[in-house]
């Protein structure tokens, strides 16, 4: 007989070390996944998460964003950052949860083109601040004229993942509406390719409607003024398309649905599922239409996934994706880079795994761009700059797979091409597939790579035409100077042989110039004119440019 | 005014007039290649067919146009001052012409050939002379020349050079000849010439020996032509038994070249006959041979296909086929297999006596 009183089984032994992992521990162990791997990256991630939230909030409220970013050095490896927006503000009850509860938010698995996707970012920054400095995050928010500005000091309870309100009161704040967050953290400030400076610079390029006021820890405040007053069109939220759904998501959706039957669930919670399609899916899955969503077993869910795969379903609507548009994207690039030639394309939407997406690409060539070394690739996903993991990103892969030689650049094998080029690639989607939670690189879906390549090829061809034309003009100039070189020899020889006067000799020269050159037509002037680009903003171009460093 | 000078001025005037009227200027010259020559046994040399190439003054031709005119200008100066310049000197003069200077002498030589062809004159008339004279002479001949300083007549006895020889000057037009010799023998290599000279072969056979030293220079060709015409004696040619010897050397001496077809009339020896070494000699004399390389074989195929001289002489076509079949070539010196003096004692006397063994 087994003695139940003896707690010496293996399971009991293991149970002694089994306990609930606190949220703080979880964070400690997974900080690299969330973008806090090192001090330098922590500073960038904190600012990035806050700015992303501000921009999303402004856009949702249809406000032209004006965002202030301040970085203050408080001591060795200690910084204070403040991000302030003119957004709609946050209602009183939500403030503590949004900033001091991990995985809380409105965006989790929402099928809408927006910057944040997971509801993890800003609270992770608060958590990091708390763990490295012990200080609470300070928040002021105001939802409009006539409402009070609310001030909070917040911490996260690391055992329960719930907000702890350290202080709470009404404050005087001149702004009509908006939110300001102030966080102290252990960090380090650097310049270069993966710096906060670079993030600010690229954010200004990709958001032509945003005004950014940036105060770096040292040096002057920089004011980066919007190039357009036109607010971006509000993206529409769509229901997920069956082709994009995975097991975990399906089970979660089944749990929260209000539908009475699984058929109704299919029809109401997914896009492009009609009565007929729902029946076909369930028939293919051998699941009864009347089954209650709560009663769908894991095994049945697997069959539904299989059933979806075997059913032909119309692609999702693509009007939920809002491009920046080629005109604005190019103006954004012109603001930052003074080049000779620009080309931009905004492609029509496409679909990968049931998720609509679209690709935009813009390039700047020549002018002030250094001609030595590899090209600069700026990657963006839903208007957010991607600064890390370039090598692992589908954008990088697509650039390398493109044959740049035919566009007049140098390229050895399938490497990044060489030459004076800045390439911007933007992917907009209701669900951008990142390779990790830190949202640094885009996953290699063949449909996405194909679209990126098509976009690159489109701007590449424009570039090729320009480079060719430039080469032709250069050859022609060379030819003309070549002609100019030999004309005096002809006139001098004729003068010697025929004993002509100096006057006749210069007459020969003039006539020869006319005969050999003027018949060749007028030349386009393709010389770089630094004054030609009226969008160019030296302030913007200067930031993040003093040093070039990077770490992956 | 010399003919060449007149032509230079005429050509320059035409160009000047065109430029004055803002018209495209042009230079035209006969095409210098085997494709643009015809051959007839009478008069016996390559004549121009009349195809010309026109060079219009454009951006692409402006450099060679300038170089041609500058070289014409140099020629005019030389003629007027009664001076001369060797081809190499002319090339160095061009170094004063900045960007119009020639990079290599082959470039200036080619432009010079163009000017010659353009005006149908020879380069000596333009004031230019060859860098090498080429050609040594020994035997029963007195060359009558003038002292360059005093203008006094000089009689040069070509039997009196011992183991040395008389060297053909670059300009042979003023020379006169006195001889009782029965023939001129033109020899490809200096080595063979030395051997024959050492053994006074010219005395035994009462002839004049000329060493061509490879492809004969214009001076050498003109010398042989004038000598054989003046003295009314035949010319026999003795080369290696290969296609280079037959066509680059013998054919050039006899009928001229495609490249300088405009002057062939004066620089050819139509009466020359080929003595040896023939393909048949290789067999008859059991000569040691070398295998022919692909480039050698190609020379034979090209001659059959393109050379108007070969096309009009069946004997040569058969000789080429015979040798191509053998796939072998033999040098003059190969005769030494039968003894160093076999060529003097047996080969040449036998060949000279047997007309049937010659090639036309």
């Amino acid at each position: 007989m087994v003695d139940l009183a003896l707690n010496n089984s293996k399971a009991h032994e293991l149970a002694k070390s089994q306990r609930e992992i606190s949220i703080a521990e979880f964070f400690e162990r997974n900080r690299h996944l969330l973008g806090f791997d090192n001090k330098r990256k922590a500073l960038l991630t904190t600012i990035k998460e806050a700015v992303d939230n501000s921009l999303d909030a402004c856009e949702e409220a249809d406000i032209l964003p004006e965002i202030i970013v301040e970085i203050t050095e408080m001591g060795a490896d200690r910084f204070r950052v403040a991000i302030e927006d003119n957004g709609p503000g946050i209602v009183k009850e939500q403030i503590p949860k949004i900033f001091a509860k991990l995985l809380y938010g409105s965006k989790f698995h929402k099928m809408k083109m927006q910057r944040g996707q997971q509801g993890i970012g800003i609270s992770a920054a608060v958590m990091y601040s708390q763990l490295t400095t012990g200080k609470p995050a300070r928040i002021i928010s105001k939802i409009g004229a006539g409402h009070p500005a609310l001030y909070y000091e917040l911490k996260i309870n690391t055992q329960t993942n719930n907000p702890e309100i350290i202080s709470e009161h009404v404050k005087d704040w001149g702004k009509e509406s908006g939110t300001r967050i102030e966080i102290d953290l252990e960090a380090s400030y650097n310049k270069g390719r993966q710096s906060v400076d670079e993030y600010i610079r690229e954010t200004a390029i990709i958001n032509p409607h945003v005004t950014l006021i940036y105060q770096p820890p040292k040096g002057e405040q920089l004011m980066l003024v919007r190039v357009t007053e036109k607010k971006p069109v509000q993206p529409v939220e769509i229901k997920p398309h069956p082709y994009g759904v995975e097991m975990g998501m399906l089970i979660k959706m089944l749990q929260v649905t209000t539908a009475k039957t699984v058929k109704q669930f299919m029809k109401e919670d997914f896009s492009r599922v009609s009565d007929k399609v729902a029946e076909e899916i369930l028939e293919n899955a051998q699941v009864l239409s009347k089954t209650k969503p709560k009663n769908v077993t894991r095994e049945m869910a697997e069959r539904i996934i299989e059933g979806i795969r075997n059913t032909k379903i119309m692609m999702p609507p693509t009007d939920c994706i809002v491009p920046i548009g080629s005109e604005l994207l190019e103006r954004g690039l012109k603001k930052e880079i003074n080049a000779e030639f620009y080309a931009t394309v905004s492609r029509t939407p496409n679909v990968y795994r049931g998720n609509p997406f679209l690709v935009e690409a813009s390039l700047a060539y020549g002018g002030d761009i250094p001609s030595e070394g590899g090209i600069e690739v700026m990657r963006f996903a839903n208007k957010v700059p991607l600064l890390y993991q370039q090598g692992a990103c589908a954008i990088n892969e697509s650039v390398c797979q493109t044959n740049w030689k035919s566009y007049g650049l140098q390229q050895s094998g399938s490497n990044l091409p060489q030459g004076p080029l800045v390439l911007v690639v933007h992917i907009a989607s209701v669900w951008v597939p990142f390779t990790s939670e830190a949202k640094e690189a885009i996953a290699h879906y063949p449909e996405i790579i194909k679209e990126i390549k098509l976009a690159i090829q489109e701007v590449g061809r424009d570039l090729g035409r320009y480079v060719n034309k430039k080469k032709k003009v250069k050859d022609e100039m060379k030819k003309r100077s070549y002609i100019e070189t030999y004309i005096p020899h002809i006139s001098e020889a004729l003068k010697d042989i025929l004993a002509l006067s100096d006057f006749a000799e210069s007459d020969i020269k003039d006539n020869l110039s006319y005969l050999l050159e003027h018949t060749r037509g007028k030349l386009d002037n393709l010389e770089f004119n630094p004054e030609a680009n009226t969008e160019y903003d030296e302030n913007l171009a200067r930031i993040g440019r003093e040093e070039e460093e990077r770490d992956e | 005014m010399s003919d060449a000078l007149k032509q230079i001025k005429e050509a320059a005037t035409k160009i000047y007039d065109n430029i004055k009227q803002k018209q495209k200027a042009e230079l035209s010259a006969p095409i210098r290649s085997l494709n643009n020559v015809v051959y007839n046994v009478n008069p016996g040399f390559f004549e121009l067919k009349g195809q010309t190439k026109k060079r219009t003054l454009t951006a692409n031709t402006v450099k060679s146009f300038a170089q041609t005119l500058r070289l014409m200008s140099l020629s005019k100066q030389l003629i007027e001052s009664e001076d001369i310049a060797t081809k190499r000197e002319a090339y160095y003069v061009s170094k004063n012409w900045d960007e119009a200077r020639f990079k290599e002498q082959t470039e200036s030589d080619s432009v010079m050939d163009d000017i010659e062809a353009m005006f149908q004159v020879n380069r000596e008339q333009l004031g230019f002379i060859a860098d090498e004279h080429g050609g040594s002479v020994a035997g029963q001949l007195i060359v009558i020349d003038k002292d360059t300083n005093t203008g006094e007549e000089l009689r040069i006895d070509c039997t009196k050079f011992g183991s040395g020889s008389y060297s053909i000057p670059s300009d042979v037009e003023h020379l006169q000849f006195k001889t009782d010799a029965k023939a001129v023998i033109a020899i490809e290599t200096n080595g063979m010439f030395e051997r024959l000279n050492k053994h006074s072969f010219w005395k035994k056979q009462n002839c004049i020996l000329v060493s061509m030293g490879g492809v004969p220079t214009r001076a050498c060709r003109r010398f042989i032509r004038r000598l054989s015409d003046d003295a009314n004696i035949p010319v026999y040619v003795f080369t290696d038994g290969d296609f280079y010897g037959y066509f680059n050397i013998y054919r050039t001496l006899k009928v001229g070249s495609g490249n300088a077809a405009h002057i062939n009339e004066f620089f050819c020896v139509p009466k020359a006959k080929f003595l040896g070494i023939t393909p048949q000699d290789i067999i008859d004399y059991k000569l040691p041979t070398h295998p022919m390389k692909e480039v050698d074989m190609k020379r034979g195929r090209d001659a059959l296909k393109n050379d108007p001289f070969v096309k009009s002489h069946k004997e040569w076509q058969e000789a080429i086929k015979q040798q191509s079949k053998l796939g072998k070539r033999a040098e003059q010196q190969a005769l030494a297999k039968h003894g160093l003096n076999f060529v003097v004692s047996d080969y040449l006397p036998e060949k000279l006596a047997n007309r049937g063994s010659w090639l036309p």
Side-chain angles (χ1 to χ4, degrees):
Chain A
M1 237 187 108
V2 182
D3 184 356
L4 290 174
L6 278 175
N7 290 343
N8 59 357
S9 72
K10 190 74 185 164
H12 280 104
E13 211 174 291
L14 284 172
K16 284 178 195 162
S17 58
Q18 285 168 343
R19 61 190 167 86
E20 201 172 343
I21 296 171
S22 79
I23 200 74
E25 271 178 287
F26 170 80
F27 181 85
E28 261 310 316
R29 288 178 190 180
N30 294 292
R31 56 202 278 173
H32 59 284
L33 290 178
L34 303 173
F36 293 90
D37 344 16
N38 56 50
K39 289 175 195 166
R40 180 180 175 185
K41 212 167 157 186
L43 186 68
L44 172 66
T45 304
T46 299
I47 289 170
K48 188 172 167 233
E49 295 295 350
V51 171
D52 284 357
N53 284 353
S54 291
L55 290 172
D56 274 346
C58 286
E59 276 170 32
E60 239 170 301
D62 206 25
I63 294 167
L64 271 176
E66 184 178 303
I67 293 171
I68 302 165
V69 175
E70 297 164 6
I71 307 175
T72 319
E73 192 163 2
M74 306 295 286
D77 286 348
R78 187 67 66 88
F79 287 86
R80 173 168 296 165
V81 299
I83 294 91
E84 183 178 320
D85 64 44
N86 60 340
I90 302 164
V91 295
K92 190 171 187 288
E93 307 75 59
Q94 296 289 350
I95 294 173
K97 285 182 189 161
I98 283 177
F99 291 99
K101 186 173 172 65
L102 286 167
L103 295 168
Y104 181 86
S106 56
K107 298 169 184 172
F108 192 60
H109 279 292
K110 200 163 153 186
M111 286 291 144
K112 182 176 172 185
M113 177 191 158
Q114 57 189 355
R115 295 172 181 80
Q117 285 186 172
Q118 296 151 132
I120 208 169
I122 193 63
S123 44
V126 171
M127 183 83 192
Y128 176 82
S129 153
Q130 187 177 321
L131 290 173
T132 54
T133 68
K135 293 216 170 155
R138 278 90 62 199
I139 289 110
I140 308 176
S141 192
K142 187 176 170 186
I143 58 171
H147 292 272
L150 303 171
Y151 175 82
Y152 279 90
E153 287 184 11
L154 296 172
K155 276 189 168 185
I156 300 175
N157 181 320
T158 56
Q159 293 301 314
T160 62
N161 184 25
N162 275 321
E164 262 173 35
I165 300 169
I166 309 295
S167 166
E168 173 187 11
H169 54 83
V170 171
K171 215 175 180 178
D172 256 1
W173 205 33
K175 261 204 160 95
E176 192 174 317
S177 76
T179 304
R180 178 186 169 94
I181 176 166
E182 213 175 273
I183 287 174
D184 286 16
L185 72 163
E186 196 178 279
S188 79
Y189 173 82
N190 296 76
K191 293 185 177 294
R193 288 191 89 156
Q194 293 164 331
S195 60
V196 174
D197 290 6
E198 182 66 20
Y199 166 77
I200 296 285
R201 181 172 90 109
E202 293 192 11
T203 300
I205 290 174
I206 207 72
N207 295 286
H209 65 294
V210 172
T211 291
L212 275 166
I213 299 157
Y214 174 47
Q215 175 61 64
K218 282 170 204 144
E220 281 171 54
Q221 187 188 65
L222 296 163
M223 175 103 171
L224 310 168
V225 184
R226 63 177 67 90
V227 294
T228 177
E229 300 284 325
K230 220 170 95 188
K231 282 170 272 190
V233 177
Q234 266 297 319
V236 185
E237 183 178 352
I238 61 160
K239 292 171 196 161
H241 189 276
Y243 284 166
V245 78
E246 281 161 17
M247 251 324 256
M249 191 175 160
L250 180 64
I251 287 170
K252 196 173 170 209
M253 285 171 76
L254 281 162
Q255 280 164 6
V256 299
T257 186
T258 55
K260 297 274 186 296
T261 67
V262 69
K263 183 180 164 189
Q264 197 189 353
F265 163 72
M266 293 304 302
K267 272 169 65 183
E268 285 173 5
D269 289 13
F270 287 96
S271 67
R272 297 297 198 212
V273 179
S274 63
D275 208 66
K276 205 170 144 264
V277 170
E279 265 170 30
E280 202 182 328
I281 291 171
L282 293 171
E283 201 183 306
N284 286 340
Q286 292 181 302
V287 171
L288 286 172
S289 313
K290 294 221 170 74
T291 314
K292 283 186 180 143
K294 304 267 178 308
N295 295 340
V296 173
T297 61
R298 193 185 163 78
E299 195 261 326
M300 282 158 84
E302 262 171 34
R303 290 212 305 269
I304 291 175
I305 298 266
E306 188 63 28
I308 289 169
R309 228 168 271 154
N310 294 326
T311 309
K312 207 166 153 44
I313 308 167
M314 195 192 219
M315 282 300 161
T318 50
D319 53 5
C320 49
I321 308 288
V322 179
I324 298 166
S326 50
E327 192 212 322
L328 279 182
L329 183 57
E330 189 164 309
R331 282 176 71 186
L333 191 61
K334 279 181 171 167
K335 184 167 72 160
E336 143 68 12
I337 292 156
N338 208 8
E340 298 166 44
F341 177 78
Y342 303 85
T344 311
V345 63
S346 182
R347 290 189 56 82
T348 52
N350 214 307
V351 174
Y352 80 94
R353 299 208 53 175
N355 297 313
F357 74 103
L358 71 77
V359 176
E360 296 175 282
S362 184
L363 59 78
Y365 175 83
D368 287 349
I369 305 167
S371 50
E372 300 296 312
I375 67 162
E376 184 178 350
V377 181
M378 291 188 187
R379 300 170 292 132
F380 298 93
N382 283 355
K383 302 189 195 173
V384 178
L386 308 179
L387 300 183
Y388 283 84
Q389 297 281 339
Q390 179 170 331
C393 184
I395 293 176
N396 202 67
E397 177 72 15
S398 310
V399 173
C400 291
Q401 279 179 19
T402 303
N403 179 10
W404 288 89
K405 282 182 191 157
S406 52
Y407 308 140
L409 294 190
Q410 292 182 329
Q411 185 181 25
S412 64
S414 286
N415 290 311
L416 267 191
Q418 310 267 313
L421 188 84
V422 174
L423 176 70
V424 169
V425 178
H426 175 226
I427 293 181
S429 178
V430 295
W431 183 255
V432 178
F434 288 109
T435 56
S436 80
E437 297 308 305
K439 301 196 283 185
E440 289 163 343
I442 293 161
H444 291 213
Y445 282 93
E447 298 92 333
I448 293 181
I449 290 187
K450 188 181 158 204
E451 268 300 311
I452 300 172
K453 278 170 76 177
L454 286 172
I456 293 174
Q457 283 162 11
E458 220 167 297
V459 288
R461 279 192 293 272
D462 287 349
L463 172 68
R465 270 191 290 277
Y466 175 77
V467 172
N468 251 329
K469 188 173 166 194
K470 198 174 160 158
K471 192 175 165 284
K472 269 194 197 134
V473 168
K474 204 176 153 197
D475 287 353
E476 180 62 27
M477 303 281 275
K478 220 170 134 191
K479 190 153 243 176
R480 288 193 185 186
S481 90
Y482 175 84
I483 295 168
E484 208 54 59
T485 306
Y486 292 105
I487 284 176
H489 291 282
I490 294 178
S491 58
E492 196 181 328
L494 287 174
K495 182 191 175 195
D496 287 350
I497 296 171
L498 300 173
L500 300 173
S501 65
D502 288 351
F503 175 77
E505 186 191 359
S506 84
D507 212 35
I508 292 174
K509 274 192 216 165
D510 292 348
N511 283 357
L512 280 175
S513 294
Y514 172 82
L515 271 169
L516 296 175
E517 288 176 27
H518 294 216
T519 50
R520 299 184 70 85
K522 206 169 142 53
L523 270 189
D524 282 349
N525 182 8
L526 293 184
E527 284 295 296
F528 173 54
N529 174 8
E531 306 297 320
N533 180 359
T534 50
E535 309 278 355
Y536 185 54
D537 180 341
E538 278 180 30
N539 259 348
L540 178 53
R542 209 174 64 230
I543 56 168
R545 280 286 146 148
E546 286 99 81
E547 282 168 61
E548 293 280 295
E549 318 165 46
R550 64 193 306 193
D551 54 62
E552 286 287 341
Chain B
M1 195 189 289
S2 87
D3 187 46
L5 188 57
K6 216 172 107 191
Q7 295 208 61
I8 289 172
K9 288 189 177 177
E10 272 171 18
T13 306
K14 219 172 129 191
I15 290 168
Y16 177 49
D17 288 346
N18 281 333
I19 294 172
K20 260 200 302 196
Q21 289 161 32
K22 294 190 178 171
Q23 288 167 349
K24 289 254 159 125
E26 259 177 19
L27 283 170
S28 75
I31 294 172
R32 297 184 282 110
S33 100
L34 268 192
N35 298 323
N36 191 30
V37 295
V38 285
Y39 173 73
N40 286 304
V41 182
N42 266 314
F45 56 88
F46 282 172
E47 292 173 281
L48 280 169
K49 250 198 277 189
Q51 294 172 25
T52 56
K53 69 173 171 196
K54 268 195 188 133
R55 188 179 290 155
T56 307
L57 177 50
T58 64
N60 294 325
T61 59
V62 66
K63 184 179 182 184
S64 69
F65 228 85
Q67 289 178 323
T68 306
L69 283 169
R70 293 221 76 150
L71 203 62
M72 279 163 60
S73 165
L74 173 63
S75 170
K76 180 217 169 210
Q77 283 171 38
L78 290 171
I79 298 168
E80 283 180 346
S81 59
E82 290 184 1
D83 205 346
I84 51 165
T86 66
K87 288 158 82 178
R88 186 129 193 100
E89 283 167 341
Y91 159 70
Y92 280 119
V93 169
S94 87
K95 294 294 182 190
N96 289 320
W97 303 343
D98 301 324
E99 308 84 5
R101 67 182 166 267
F102 297 105
K103 280 200 189 70
E104 302 285 342
Q105 197 194 324
T106 50
E107 293 173 18
S108 58
D109 286 356
S110 171
V111 171
M112 202 181 280
D113 288 349
D114 278 342
I115 297 173
E116 260 189 347
M118 207 153 67
F119 302 142
Q120 308 274 307
V121 296
N122 65 46
R123 78 167 84 83
E124 284 73 16
Q125 290 170 275
L126 293 169
F128 301 119
I129 58 165
D131 298 315
E132 298 161 29
H133 312 145
S136 310
V137 183
Q140 308 284 19
L141 170 69
I142 289 165
V143 177
I144 301 163
D145 199 348
K146 277 185 202 143
D147 187 304
T148 44
N149 296 318
T150 63
E152 223 172 280
E153 187 178 284
L154 284 173
R155 297 174 75 87
I156 303 156
D157 186 345
C158 295
T159 61
K160 301 254 169 77
F161 283 93
S163 56
S165 57
Y166 168 69
S167 168
I168 298 170
S170 61
D171 186 1
V172 301
E173 294 304 325
H174 61 284
L175 300 181
Q176 288 175 288
F177 307 104
K178 196 167 178 296
T179 182
D180 297 326
K182 286 189 290 186
V184 175
I185 300 181
I187 300 148
E188 174 175 343
T189 63
N190 273 317
M192 183 53 75
F193 172 83
E194 297 260 341
R195 171 159 296 279
L196 298 181
N197 190 21
K198 191 173 176 68
H199 291 272
S200 304
F201 184 78
W202 45 266
K203 203 175 207 169
K204 287 169 195 152
Q205 294 286 337
N206 190 23
C207 64
I208 302 160
L209 301 176
V210 178
S211 161
M212 297 182 285
V215 177
T217 60
R218 289 185 184 184
C220 183
R221 282 148 67 190
R222 185 70 183 146
F223 180 88
I224 295 172
R225 166 72 176 279
R226 289 206 54 234
L227 170 60
S228 64
D229 280 2
D230 267 24
N232 196 22
I233 49 173
V235 175
Y236 304 119
V237 181
F238 179 26
T239 71
D240 286 343
D242 57 27
F243 295 144
Y244 186 80
Y246 306 155
F247 305 116
N248 294 53
I249 296 173
Y250 170 69
R251 196 266 282 136
T252 301
L253 176 70
K254 184 178 166 87
V255 302
S257 66
N259 189 39
H262 53 285
I263 43 120
N264 282 345
E265 185 179 351
F266 309 100
F267 295 86
C268 64
V269 188
K271 64 167 76 164
K273 299 283 180 215
F274 190 76
L275 198 68
I277 290 171
T278 63
Q280 190 60 40
D281 289 346
I282 297 176
I283 299 164
D284 293 348
Y285 291 90
K286 298 186 175 65
L287 295 179
T289 57
H290 293 283
M292 283 203 287
K293 289 180 193 150
E294 177 49 31
V295 289
D296 302 321
M297 302 293 281
K298 186 174 182 297
R299 215 188 288 277
R301 288 196 298 273
D302 286 350
L304 276 174
K305 208 172 124 200
N306 300 324
D307 193 326
F309 171 73
V310 172
K311 280 181 175 170
S312 52
H313 289 288
K314 227 177 157 50
E315 296 93 326
W316 274 114
Q317 294 164 23
E318 269 152 24
I320 291 173
K321 284 174 195 158
Q322 185 182 18
Q323 183 132 15
S324 297
K325 213 170 148 195
L326 277 176
K328 302 207 162 108
R329 60 184 180 85
E331 292 171 2
Q332 291 178 312
Q333 282 79 358
L335 292 160
K337 176 197 165 193
H338 303 295
L340 287 173
N341 291 318
F342 178 77
V343 63
V344 176
S345 59
D346 295 73
Y347 179 78
L348 281 178
E350 279 171 32
K351 291 291 291 187
L352 283 167
N354 182 9
R355 293 184 70 92
S357 73
W358 305 345
L359 283 166

